Amino acid sequence: VTAELPVLYSFRRCPYAIRARITLAHSAVRCTLREVVLREKPDDLLSLSPKGTVPVLLLRDGRIIEESLDIMLWALSQFDPDGWLEGEATMTHALIEENDTSFKQALDRYKYHVRYPENVPSVYRDQAASFIARLESLLSGNRGQGLMASRVTLADIEIFPFVRQFAGVDRVWFDAAPYPLLQQWLRRFESWSGFTRVMTKYTPWLSDEGPGVPFP
Ligand SMILES: N[C@@H](CCC(=O)N[C@@H](CS)C(=O)NCC(=O)O)C(=O)O
């Protein structure tokens, strides 16, 4: 049975894999999940997708989706029960683009500041915080409910795993920073079952270990 399902190569803590898993589960797409150990990527994954990042989704017709955003869009094209795709696409795309490029880069330097000793961590935090301030102001236009509308849409799901990482570097600092709407927004997502149900511990998959585990 599992061989007939799409196969998702994933890594539990990866923010890109998290947003893909949330969306697949939300769209009620059943898959076989293979938890990848990034230091020991299975040959099966590398032969499907030589760039070697997760998530990767292998569809039953043999198509391979190698970008988390494309996995999300594919899942929502199957079933979009809460209209996450509805709304202003151009602005959503620009915001997602900024999240995935400049914000992600500043976030990595802040989170892994030991590897970037040219500056003290607060320099990287300040670089990342300009995007954070922008998210706060977007939320304030929508009564705190969502970035692009007064409800959750694609942009929120796409971006919150990265804000979670940013907050996690120094939670005391984040919780005291002047972003009250973003703090509430993050807390709502952190306790949301749509998130917690995709964060269970997954046993690493090794090529000879059978098909993987059913997801969700
Ligand atoms: N643009 C890709 C980025 C995915 C990505 O960078 N994933 C990280 C894990 S969070 C990864 O697989 N890195 C490869 C490695 O660490 O070897 C996407 O959106 O799917």
Side-chain angles (χ1 to χ4, degrees), residues 11 14-16 19 38 41 51-55 66-69 100:
F11 175 59
C14 167
Y16 301 96
R19 70 192 188 185
L38 291 178
K41 288 174 195 148
K51 75 178 167 57
T53 63
V54 290
E66 302 182 87
E67 288 291 328
S68 55
L69 184 54
D100 287 15

Side-chain angles (χ1 to χ4, degrees), residues 11 27 64 67 81 111 128 131 148 155-156 161 172 175 190 200 207-208 216:
F11 175 59
S27 301
I64 297 158
E67 288 291 328
K111 187 167 151 75
F131 184 71
M148 286 291 151
D156 301 278
V172 174
D175 285 342
E190 286 170 328
T200 52
S207 309
D208 51 4

